Amino acid sequence: MLTRKQHELLMFIHQRLKETGVPPSFEEMKEALDLRSKSGIHRLITALEERGFIRRLAHRARALEIVKLPESVGQGLATAPQQKGFNPSVIEGSLGRRPQQARDDEDGDRTETAIVPLMGRIAAGVPAEAIQDHTNNISVPPELLGPGEHFALEIKGDSMIDAGILDGDTVLIRRSDVAQNGDIVVALVDDEEATLKRLRRKGDSIALEAANPAYETRIFGPDRVRIQGKLIGLLRRY
């Protein structure tokens, strides 16, 4: 048996997946259900998962899967709160898999560059809502990339300045769900907040450590933090 809000949220996620193939963000869910905070959405998601209606896919932000619908709801007949003015931004194909494009350098020679999706901004400070919008593409030297999938993020904040990462920099991230102590990682906290920090494991706890003494190290239980990727490079405009 679902509460009214649980039912509304389930139908909203179901409808969005049918229409776009992309689950809504916590902010979109909050607005659709007219809730005051995303913590309420987090509780509803947890309740739906515990009741077997949805499944959160591991190691990916905003990745939700509908497992079942209430028996009273027929396929294709579900209704959901409608999002005002939403235009989905869908990421398509070969995410950062080093596709090559040629360009002319200053001497007229042809050089190769790799295209990497710029996914938005990430906090190097107090965590902000996880960004999953494909806002643009950037060209990078292919030698900066290794095997695997890559994406770029623009830095917002100053908590990593002692690691040489400044506000406005663009960081290159290799997608990965594992990291070693001391790695600088994109960490997703409680499935809704993303931040760039140095990873430290202390027993069963995970510490996200700033590289600026003005910021405190934040410590979480292992079930609250998911690694999204590791820092492999940095781009800066002067």
Side-chain angles (χ1 to χ4, degrees):
M1 186 71 177
L2 297 179
T3 67
R4 180 174 61 85
K5 285 295 186 183
Q6 289 168 359
H7 186 274
E8 286 182 0
L9 181 59
L10 180 63
M11 293 301 98
F12 179 56
I13 296 170
H14 173 63
Q15 191 71 20
R16 180 60 59 78
L17 286 169
K18 281 177 56 180
E19 292 174 353
T20 71
V22 180
S25 69
F26 274 49
E27 180 66 26
E28 291 161 359
M29 296 180 202
K30 178 176 75 70
E31 291 182 2
L33 271 67
D34 196 26
L35 297 182
R36 292 184 178 182
S37 72
K38 287 181 286 189
S39 62
I41 293 296
H42 184 72
R43 288 192 292 270
L44 291 173
I45 289 288
T46 300
L48 288 172
E49 187 175 31
E50 289 175 348
R51 288 162 174 78
F53 287 93
I54 66 172
R55 179 184 298 118
R56 280 185 275 201
L57 305 180
H59 317 309
R60 292 166 54 194
R62 283 177 56 175
L64 298 174
E65 179 181 61
I66 299 292
V67 177
K68 64 179 181 179
L69 294 173
E71 293 182 0
S72 59
V73 177
Q75 285 290 341
L77 299 179
T79 58
Q82 296 300 311
Q83 180 77 11
K84 303 183 185 69
F86 173 74
N87 291 311
S89 178
V90 181
I91 302 166
E92 297 181 354
S94 62
L95 177 62
R97 291 187 181 274
R98 303 183 67 182
Q100 303 295 314
Q101 72 172 14
R103 62 176 175 82
D104 293 325
D105 63 18
E106 293 179 355
D107 296 323
D109 295 329
R110 300 291 282 177
T111 61
E112 296 295 324
T113 60
I115 303 300
V116 174
L118 179 64
M119 303 295 286
R121 306 185 77 184
I122 189 170
V126 178
E129 183 186 4
I131 299 295
Q132 284 292 298
D133 293 328
H134 183 183
T135 60
N136 207 342
N137 291 322
I138 61 172
S139 299
V140 302
E143 58 267 21
L144 290 181
L145 308 178
E149 298 182 355
H150 302 80
F151 59 94
L153 293 164
E154 183 182 347
I155 293 298
K156 178 182 179 182
D158 61 357
S159 75
M160 297 302 289
I161 57 175
D162 288 350
I165 303 171
L166 309 181
D167 184 50
D169 285 348
T170 298
V171 291
L172 297 176
I173 305 296
R174 178 177 297 126
R175 189 177 292 278
S176 175
D177 56 9
V178 295
Q180 302 297 318
N181 268 345
D183 286 344
I184 296 176
V185 302
V186 174
L188 184 66
V189 180
D190 293 333
D191 286 333
E192 62 176 296
E193 294 181 326
T195 189
L196 186 80
K197 291 291 184 290
R198 194 177 299 278
L199 177 72
R200 303 287 186 190
R201 286 190 172 87
K202 299 180 179 181
D204 291 333
S205 299
I206 294 177
L208 299 179
E209 180 182 275
N212 181 337
Y215 291 83
E216 294 183 354
T217 297
R218 303 181 72 198
I219 300 176
F220 302 92
D223 59 334
R224 295 186 60 193
V225 177
R226 300 185 188 187
I227 305 303
Q228 302 291 288
K230 297 193 295 184
L231 177 73
I232 63 164
L234 181 145
L235 303 174
R236 180 175 298 157
R237 293 182 180 274
Y238 292 94

Short mmCIF file of all heavy atoms in Angstrom, two decimals, residues 57-61 95-97 122 132 146-153 172-181 183-188 195-197 199 201 206 225-232:
data_model
loop_
_atom_site.label_atom_id
_atom_site.label_comp_id
_atom_site.label_asym_id
_atom_site.label_seq_id
_atom_site.Cartn_x
_atom_site.Cartn_y
_atom_site.Cartn_z
N LEU A 57 19.95 2.22 -9.71
CA LEU A 57 21.05 1.57 -10.39
C LEU A 57 22.37 2.08 -9.80
O LEU A 57 22.56 3.28 -9.64
CB LEU A 57 20.99 1.85 -11.89
CG LEU A 57 19.67 1.46 -12.56
CD1 LEU A 57 19.71 1.76 -14.04
CD2 LEU A 57 19.36 -0.02 -12.32
N ALA A 58 23.24 1.17 -9.49
CA ALA A 58 24.46 1.51 -8.76
C ALA A 58 25.40 2.37 -9.58
O ALA A 58 25.48 2.24 -10.81
CB ALA A 58 25.19 0.22 -8.33
N HIS A 59 26.10 3.26 -8.87
CA HIS A 59 27.22 4.03 -9.40
C HIS A 59 26.82 5.04 -10.46
O HIS A 59 27.66 5.50 -11.23
CB HIS A 59 28.31 3.11 -9.97
CG HIS A 59 28.60 1.93 -9.11
ND1 HIS A 59 28.88 2.04 -7.77
CD2 HIS A 59 28.63 0.60 -9.38
CE1 HIS A 59 29.09 0.84 -7.26
NE2 HIS A 59 28.93 -0.06 -8.21
N ARG A 60 25.55 5.39 -10.56
CA ARG A 60 25.12 6.38 -11.53
C ARG A 60 24.13 7.33 -10.89
O ARG A 60 23.19 6.91 -10.23
CB ARG A 60 24.46 5.71 -12.74
CG ARG A 60 25.40 4.90 -13.60
CD ARG A 60 24.65 4.02 -14.56
NE ARG A 60 23.70 4.77 -15.36
CZ ARG A 60 22.74 4.19 -16.07
NH1 ARG A 60 22.61 2.88 -16.08
NH2 ARG A 60 21.91 4.93 -16.81
N ALA A 61 24.37 8.64 -11.09
CA ALA A 61 23.45 9.63 -10.56
C ALA A 61 22.14 9.59 -11.33
O ALA A 61 22.11 9.36 -12.53
CB ALA A 61 24.06 11.02 -10.65
N LEU A 95 30.03 8.11 -24.65
CA LEU A 95 30.34 9.14 -23.68
C LEU A 95 31.84 9.22 -23.46
O LEU A 95 32.44 8.40 -22.79
CB LEU A 95 29.63 8.85 -22.36
CG LEU A 95 29.90 9.79 -21.20
CD1 LEU A 95 29.43 11.20 -21.56
CD2 LEU A 95 29.21 9.32 -19.94
N GLY A 96 32.48 10.24 -24.02
CA GLY A 96 33.89 10.48 -23.79
C GLY A 96 34.80 9.35 -24.21
O GLY A 96 35.86 9.15 -23.63
N ARG A 97 34.45 8.60 -25.23
CA ARG A 97 35.28 7.46 -25.66
C ARG A 97 36.30 7.87 -26.72
O ARG A 97 36.51 7.18 -27.70
CB ARG A 97 34.40 6.34 -26.19
CG ARG A 97 33.56 5.64 -25.12
CD ARG A 97 32.84 4.45 -25.70
NE ARG A 97 32.02 3.79 -24.71
CZ ARG A 97 32.45 2.86 -23.87
NH1 ARG A 97 33.72 2.51 -23.90
NH2 ARG A 97 31.64 2.31 -23.01
N ILE A 122 30.36 21.46 -10.88
CA ILE A 122 30.41 20.65 -9.66
C ILE A 122 31.04 21.49 -8.56
O ILE A 122 31.91 22.33 -8.82
CB ILE A 122 31.21 19.35 -9.87
CG1 ILE A 122 31.07 18.42 -8.66
CG2 ILE A 122 32.67 19.64 -10.17
CD1 ILE A 122 31.62 17.04 -8.89
N GLN A 132 23.88 16.32 -14.17
CA GLN A 132 23.88 15.29 -15.19
C GLN A 132 23.45 15.85 -16.54
O GLN A 132 23.03 15.10 -17.41
CB GLN A 132 22.94 14.15 -14.79
CG GLN A 132 23.54 13.25 -13.72
CD GLN A 132 24.72 12.45 -14.22
OE1 GLN A 132 24.59 11.63 -15.12
NE2 GLN A 132 25.88 12.68 -13.66
N GLY A 146 42.93 8.26 -21.15
CA GLY A 146 43.34 6.87 -21.23
C GLY A 146 42.16 6.02 -21.68
O GLY A 146 41.22 6.52 -22.28
N PRO A 147 42.18 4.75 -21.36
CA PRO A 147 41.04 3.89 -21.70
C PRO A 147 39.83 4.24 -20.85
O PRO A 147 39.95 4.85 -19.79
CB PRO A 147 41.57 2.48 -21.37
CG PRO A 147 42.64 2.71 -20.35
CD PRO A 147 43.28 4.01 -20.71
N GLY A 148 38.66 3.86 -21.33
CA GLY A 148 37.45 4.08 -20.57
C GLY A 148 36.67 5.29 -21.02
O GLY A 148 36.96 5.89 -22.06
N GLU A 149 35.67 5.66 -20.22
CA GLU A 149 34.80 6.78 -20.52
C GLU A 149 35.23 8.01 -19.72
O GLU A 149 35.70 7.89 -18.59
CB GLU A 149 33.34 6.44 -20.19
CG GLU A 149 32.80 5.28 -21.01
CD GLU A 149 31.34 5.00 -20.68
OE1 GLU A 149 30.80 5.65 -19.76
OE2 GLU A 149 30.75 4.13 -21.34
N HIS A 150 35.05 9.17 -20.32
CA HIS A 150 35.49 10.40 -19.69
C HIS A 150 34.41 11.47 -19.80
O HIS A 150 33.59 11.45 -20.72
CB HIS A 150 36.77 10.93 -20.35
CG HIS A 150 37.91 9.96 -20.32
ND1 HIS A 150 38.02 8.91 -21.22
CD2 HIS A 150 38.97 9.86 -19.50
CE1 HIS A 150 39.10 8.22 -20.95
NE2 HIS A 150 39.71 8.78 -19.91
N PHE A 151 34.43 12.41 -18.87
CA PHE A 151 33.59 13.59 -18.97
C PHE A 151 34.30 14.74 -18.27
O PHE A 151 35.30 14.54 -17.57
CB PHE A 151 32.20 13.35 -18.36
CG PHE A 151 32.18 12.95 -16.90
CD1 PHE A 151 32.04 13.90 -15.90
CD2 PHE A 151 32.29 11.62 -16.53
CE1 PHE A 151 32.01 13.52 -14.56
CE2 PHE A 151 32.27 11.23 -15.20
CZ PHE A 151 32.13 12.19 -14.22
N ALA A 152 33.82 15.94 -18.51
CA ALA A 152 34.43 17.14 -17.95
C ALA A 152 33.42 17.86 -17.08
O ALA A 152 32.21 17.79 -17.31
CB ALA A 152 34.94 18.06 -19.06
N LEU A 153 33.91 18.58 -16.07
CA LEU A 153 33.07 19.36 -15.18
C LEU A 153 33.75 20.70 -14.91
O LEU A 153 34.97 20.77 -14.76
CB LEU A 153 32.85 18.63 -13.85
CG LEU A 153 32.01 17.35 -13.89
CD1 LEU A 153 32.21 16.56 -12.62
CD2 LEU A 153 30.55 17.68 -14.09
N LEU A 172 38.97 17.08 -15.93
CA LEU A 172 38.69 15.88 -16.72
C LEU A 172 38.57 14.70 -15.77
O LEU A 172 39.44 14.47 -14.94
CB LEU A 172 39.81 15.63 -17.73
CG LEU A 172 40.02 16.71 -18.80
CD1 LEU A 172 41.22 16.36 -19.66
CD2 LEU A 172 38.77 16.87 -19.65
N ILE A 173 37.50 13.95 -15.94
CA ILE A 173 37.18 12.85 -15.03
C ILE A 173 37.08 11.55 -15.83
O ILE A 173 36.40 11.51 -16.86
CB ILE A 173 35.85 13.10 -14.29
CG1 ILE A 173 35.87 14.44 -13.56
CG2 ILE A 173 35.55 11.95 -13.34
CD1 ILE A 173 36.90 14.54 -12.45
N ARG A 174 37.76 10.50 -15.36
CA ARG A 174 37.56 9.17 -15.92
C ARG A 174 36.49 8.47 -15.08
O ARG A 174 36.62 8.35 -13.87
CB ARG A 174 38.85 8.36 -15.91
CG ARG A 174 38.66 6.93 -16.44
CD ARG A 174 39.97 6.15 -16.48
NE ARG A 174 40.90 6.79 -17.39
CZ ARG A 174 42.14 7.17 -17.07
NH1 ARG A 174 42.58 6.97 -15.84
NH2 ARG A 174 42.92 7.75 -17.96
N ARG A 175 35.44 8.02 -15.76
CA ARG A 175 34.33 7.38 -15.04
C ARG A 175 34.83 6.11 -14.36
O ARG A 175 35.44 5.24 -14.99
CB ARG A 175 33.19 7.06 -16.00
CG ARG A 175 31.92 6.60 -15.31
CD ARG A 175 30.81 6.38 -16.29
NE ARG A 175 30.36 7.63 -16.89
CZ ARG A 175 29.51 8.47 -16.32
NH1 ARG A 175 29.04 8.20 -15.11
NH2 ARG A 175 29.13 9.57 -16.94
N SER A 176 34.56 6.00 -13.07
CA SER A 176 34.97 4.82 -12.30
C SER A 176 34.15 4.79 -11.02
O SER A 176 33.77 5.84 -10.49
CB SER A 176 36.46 4.90 -11.96
OG SER A 176 36.85 3.82 -11.12
N ASP A 177 33.88 3.60 -10.52
CA ASP A 177 33.16 3.49 -9.26
C ASP A 177 34.06 3.05 -8.11
O ASP A 177 33.59 2.75 -7.01
CB ASP A 177 31.97 2.54 -9.38
CG ASP A 177 32.37 1.16 -9.88
OD1 ASP A 177 33.59 0.88 -9.96
OD2 ASP A 177 31.48 0.36 -10.19
N VAL A 178 35.37 2.98 -8.38
CA VAL A 178 36.33 2.63 -7.33
C VAL A 178 37.45 3.66 -7.33
O VAL A 178 37.74 4.29 -8.35
CB VAL A 178 36.91 1.22 -7.53
CG1 VAL A 178 35.83 0.17 -7.39
CG2 VAL A 178 37.59 1.09 -8.88
N ALA A 179 38.08 3.83 -6.18
CA ALA A 179 39.20 4.76 -6.06
C ALA A 179 40.06 4.35 -4.87
O ALA A 179 39.60 3.64 -3.97
CB ALA A 179 38.69 6.19 -5.88
N GLN A 180 41.30 4.82 -4.90
CA GLN A 180 42.24 4.53 -3.83
C GLN A 180 42.29 5.71 -2.86
O GLN A 180 41.93 6.84 -3.20
CB GLN A 180 43.64 4.28 -4.40
CG GLN A 180 43.71 3.16 -5.40
CD GLN A 180 43.35 1.81 -4.81
OE1 GLN A 180 43.76 1.50 -3.68
NE2 GLN A 180 42.59 1.02 -5.54
N ASN A 181 42.76 5.43 -1.64
CA ASN A 181 42.97 6.50 -0.68
C ASN A 181 43.87 7.57 -1.28
O ASN A 181 44.92 7.26 -1.86
CB ASN A 181 43.61 5.96 0.60
CG ASN A 181 42.58 5.56 1.64
OD1 ASN A 181 41.42 5.92 1.54
ND2 ASN A 181 43.01 4.82 2.64
N ASP A 183 43.04 9.58 -3.78
CA ASP A 183 42.57 10.01 -5.10
C ASP A 183 41.60 11.18 -4.96
O ASP A 183 40.81 11.24 -4.01
CB ASP A 183 41.85 8.86 -5.82
CG ASP A 183 42.81 7.79 -6.34
OD1 ASP A 183 44.01 8.07 -6.42
OD2 ASP A 183 42.33 6.68 -6.67
N ILE A 184 41.65 12.09 -5.92
CA ILE A 184 40.64 13.14 -6.00
C ILE A 184 39.52 12.62 -6.87
O ILE A 184 39.74 12.21 -8.01
CB ILE A 184 41.24 14.44 -6.57
CG1 ILE A 184 42.31 14.98 -5.61
CG2 ILE A 184 40.15 15.49 -6.79
CD1 ILE A 184 43.02 16.21 -6.11
N VAL A 185 38.30 12.63 -6.31
CA VAL A 185 37.19 11.94 -6.95
C VAL A 185 35.97 12.85 -7.05
O VAL A 185 35.84 13.84 -6.31
CB VAL A 185 36.79 10.66 -6.18
CG1 VAL A 185 37.97 9.71 -6.07
CG2 VAL A 185 36.24 11.00 -4.79
N VAL A 186 35.09 12.50 -7.98
CA VAL A 186 33.72 13.02 -7.97
C VAL A 186 32.91 12.07 -7.10
O VAL A 186 32.79 10.88 -7.43
CB VAL A 186 33.14 13.11 -9.38
CG1 VAL A 186 31.67 13.53 -9.31
CG2 VAL A 186 33.92 14.10 -10.22
N ALA A 187 32.39 12.57 -5.99
CA ALA A 187 31.63 11.75 -5.05
C ALA A 187 30.19 12.19 -5.04
O ALA A 187 29.90 13.39 -4.98
CB ALA A 187 32.23 11.85 -3.65
N LEU A 188 29.29 11.22 -5.09
CA LEU A 188 27.86 11.49 -5.02
C LEU A 188 27.38 11.11 -3.62
O LEU A 188 27.52 9.98 -3.19
CB LEU A 188 27.11 10.67 -6.07
CG LEU A 188 25.61 10.91 -6.20
CD1 LEU A 188 25.34 12.33 -6.69
CD2 LEU A 188 24.99 9.90 -7.14
N THR A 195 30.25 16.37 -5.32
CA THR A 195 31.33 17.25 -4.94
C THR A 195 32.66 16.65 -5.39
O THR A 195 32.76 15.43 -5.59
CB THR A 195 31.35 17.50 -3.42
OG1 THR A 195 32.28 18.53 -3.09
CG2 THR A 195 31.69 16.23 -2.65
N LEU A 196 33.65 17.50 -5.57
CA LEU A 196 35.00 17.05 -5.92
C LEU A 196 35.86 17.16 -4.66
O LEU A 196 36.07 18.26 -4.14
CB LEU A 196 35.58 17.92 -7.03
CG LEU A 196 36.94 17.46 -7.57
CD1 LEU A 196 36.75 16.31 -8.56
CD2 LEU A 196 37.68 18.60 -8.25
N LYS A 197 36.36 16.03 -4.18
CA LYS A 197 37.14 16.01 -2.95
C LYS A 197 38.18 14.88 -3.01
O LYS A 197 38.11 13.98 -3.85
CB LYS A 197 36.23 15.77 -1.74
CG LYS A 197 35.31 16.92 -1.40
CD LYS A 197 36.06 18.12 -0.88
CE LYS A 197 35.11 19.23 -0.46
NZ LYS A 197 34.46 19.85 -1.62
N LEU A 199 39.58 11.52 -1.50
CA LEU A 199 38.96 10.39 -0.81
C LEU A 199 39.90 9.83 0.26
O LEU A 199 41.08 9.58 0.00
CB LEU A 199 38.63 9.29 -1.82
CG LEU A 199 38.03 8.00 -1.25
CD1 LEU A 199 36.60 8.23 -0.80
CD2 LEU A 199 38.09 6.87 -2.27
N ARG A 201 39.59 6.75 3.34
CA ARG A 201 38.79 5.72 4.03
C ARG A 201 39.34 5.53 5.43
O ARG A 201 40.54 5.34 5.60
CB ARG A 201 38.81 4.41 3.25
CG ARG A 201 37.97 4.44 1.99
CD ARG A 201 37.83 3.04 1.39
NE ARG A 201 36.88 3.02 0.28
CZ ARG A 201 37.20 3.29 -0.97
NH1 ARG A 201 38.46 3.58 -1.28
NH2 ARG A 201 36.29 3.27 -1.92
N ILE A 206 33.83 6.83 5.16
CA ILE A 206 34.46 7.49 4.02
C ILE A 206 34.56 8.98 4.33
O ILE A 206 33.55 9.62 4.67
CB ILE A 206 33.64 7.27 2.74
CG1 ILE A 206 33.67 5.79 2.35
CG2 ILE A 206 34.17 8.14 1.60
CD1 ILE A 206 32.84 5.46 1.13
N VAL A 225 27.88 7.29 0.14
CA VAL A 225 28.78 7.88 -0.86
C VAL A 225 29.01 6.90 -2.00
O VAL A 225 29.32 5.73 -1.76
CB VAL A 225 30.14 8.27 -0.22
CG1 VAL A 225 31.09 8.81 -1.28
CG2 VAL A 225 29.94 9.30 0.88
N ARG A 226 28.86 7.39 -3.22
CA ARG A 226 29.18 6.60 -4.41
C ARG A 226 30.22 7.35 -5.24
O ARG A 226 30.07 8.54 -5.51
CB ARG A 226 27.94 6.36 -5.27
CG ARG A 226 26.83 5.61 -4.54
CD ARG A 226 25.69 5.30 -5.47
NE ARG A 226 24.54 4.73 -4.77
CZ ARG A 226 23.46 4.26 -5.37
NH1 ARG A 226 23.38 4.30 -6.69
NH2 ARG A 226 22.45 3.76 -4.68
N ILE A 227 31.25 6.65 -5.63
CA ILE A 227 32.29 7.25 -6.47
C ILE A 227 31.79 7.27 -7.91
O ILE A 227 31.34 6.26 -8.44
CB ILE A 227 33.61 6.46 -6.36
CG1 ILE A 227 34.05 6.34 -4.89
CG2 ILE A 227 34.69 7.13 -7.20
CD1 ILE A 227 34.22 7.66 -4.19
N GLN A 228 31.88 8.45 -8.55
CA GLN A 228 31.44 8.61 -9.92
C GLN A 228 32.61 8.62 -10.91
O GLN A 228 32.44 8.33 -12.09
CB GLN A 228 30.66 9.91 -10.07
CG GLN A 228 29.44 10.00 -9.16
CD GLN A 228 28.35 9.02 -9.57
OE1 GLN A 228 27.70 9.21 -10.59
NE2 GLN A 228 28.17 7.99 -8.78
N GLY A 229 33.79 9.00 -10.43
CA GLY A 229 34.93 9.06 -11.32
C GLY A 229 36.14 9.64 -10.60
O GLY A 229 36.04 10.15 -9.48
N LYS A 230 37.31 9.54 -11.28
CA LYS A 230 38.56 10.03 -10.71
C LYS A 230 39.14 11.14 -11.57
O LYS A 230 39.07 11.10 -12.80
CB LYS A 230 39.57 8.89 -10.59
CG LYS A 230 39.13 7.77 -9.65
CD LYS A 230 40.27 6.82 -9.32
CE LYS A 230 40.75 6.05 -10.55
NZ LYS A 230 41.78 5.07 -10.19
N LEU A 231 39.73 12.12 -10.92
CA LEU A 231 40.37 13.22 -11.62
C LEU A 231 41.60 12.72 -12.39
O LEU A 231 42.45 12.03 -11.83
CB LEU A 231 40.81 14.29 -10.60
CG LEU A 231 41.57 15.48 -11.16
CD1 LEU A 231 40.64 16.40 -11.93
CD2 LEU A 231 42.28 16.24 -10.05
N ILE A 232 41.67 13.08 -13.69
CA ILE A 232 42.84 12.71 -14.47
C ILE A 232 43.52 13.90 -15.12
O ILE A 232 44.63 13.78 -15.64
CB ILE A 232 42.48 11.68 -15.57
CG1 ILE A 232 41.49 12.30 -16.57
CG2 ILE A 232 41.94 10.40 -14.97
CD1 ILE A 232 41.40 11.51 -17.86
#
